[in-house]
Amino acid sequence: MMIESPPGWRFFTAVTIAAFISLWWSSVPFPYAEGGVLGLFVWVPLVVYWLIRLSVAMVTGWRTLSMRRLLRWLPTPLIVLGVWGVIHLDGSFSARFALSQSSMEQYARSIIDGGGRTDPGCRWTGLYHVCGHYAGEEEGAPPTAQLNVTDWPLGASRCFTWTPNGQPRPEDHEYGLRHLTGPWWGCRDWDGW
């Protein structure tokens, strides 16, 4: 292994896995706090390692560096910038929610139609594994289906509420409530951070 060459397939595999985890953890109404831990303990060391390798390559092999060899260093920063851009623009959430919305709406409708008389259980609705429950039992609250996202290995601290007749009560979601579209709201429960 020449130090002048970019990190190999093991490094690229680690970057790719970290990218997929980061995109998945940011594809909920409120990104998971664990994404910050991933950034600190995974992304920072990967980027520092890449920068050290690039610096050594520039110092030791600057005479032999060609444009072709320099282009081999580009995949990692392109992945890092791409992941940052998608997360910053809320793209991973928008895509996952758009692909799951109709399936989640059918499930939410069945919960409201049941009026809380039956336990709807947990199931995959589109790209989200959710556990639903009827949340319109309080006085003055509109009928609401709450779908708690269960992204293993994380706790169910992110959720969706579907409220076709109004909006959910903000006091029921003291850690965060975000209007998504139409009767859909994103919510966040306490997650220890």
Side-chain angles (χ1 to χ4, degrees):
M1 174 185 80
M2 295 182 358
I3 196 74
E4 292 88 15
S5 63
W9 66 270
R10 288 185 185 118
F11 177 81
F12 190 73
T13 301
V15 168
T16 304
I17 290 170
F20 281 119
I21 292 171
S22 295
L23 291 172
W24 190 261
W25 284 0
S26 67
S27 64
V28 289
F30 294 92
Y32 291 110
E34 289 83 354
V37 174
L38 180 76
L40 183 63
F41 292 108
V42 175
W43 280 113
V44 169
L46 286 172
V47 168
V48 167
Y49 176 73
W50 182 87
L51 287 170
I52 289 171
R53 291 281 303 249
L54 178 64
S55 299
V56 169
M58 297 292 281
V59 169
T60 61
W62 67 272
R63 289 185 189 148
T64 60
L65 280 178
S66 64
M67 184 56 77
R68 183 172 175 231
R69 288 186 69 194
L70 282 175
L71 288 176
R72 292 176 53 207
W73 287 88
L74 276 181
T76 299
L78 290 177
I79 290 171
V80 171
L81 289 174
V83 167
W84 178 83
V86 168
I87 290 172
H88 182 71
L89 296 172
D90 213 13
S92 56
F93 169 69
S94 298
R96 189 176 177 196
F97 179 70
L99 292 170
S100 306
Q101 185 176 355
S102 64
S103 175
M104 289 195 316
E105 187 165 328
Q106 289 174 354
Y107 183 48
R109 245 183 238 287
S110 71
I111 292 171
I112 288 182
D113 291 344
R117 292 181 293 277
T118 60
D119 179 18
C122 300
R123 67 176 71 162
W124 280 97
T125 56
L127 298 174
Y128 291 101
H129 188 264
V130 295
C131 297
H133 69 276
Y134 184 78
E137 298 164 351
E138 299 85 14
E139 176 99 18
T144 301
Q146 182 166 320
L147 309 178
N148 296 322
V149 179
T150 57
D151 278 335
W152 186 89
L154 306 173
S157 62
R158 304 302 186 258
C159 55
F160 294 97
T161 61
W162 188 69
T163 312
N165 303 322
Q167 73 178 52
R169 298 181 335 165
E171 59 269 16
D172 293 339
H173 305 284
E174 63 184 276
Y175 296 102
L177 188 63
R178 167 186 174 192
H179 184 254
L180 303 175
T181 182
W184 283 103
W185 297 76
C187 50
R188 173 176 59 194
D189 292 330
W190 184 79
D191 62 357
W193 292 89

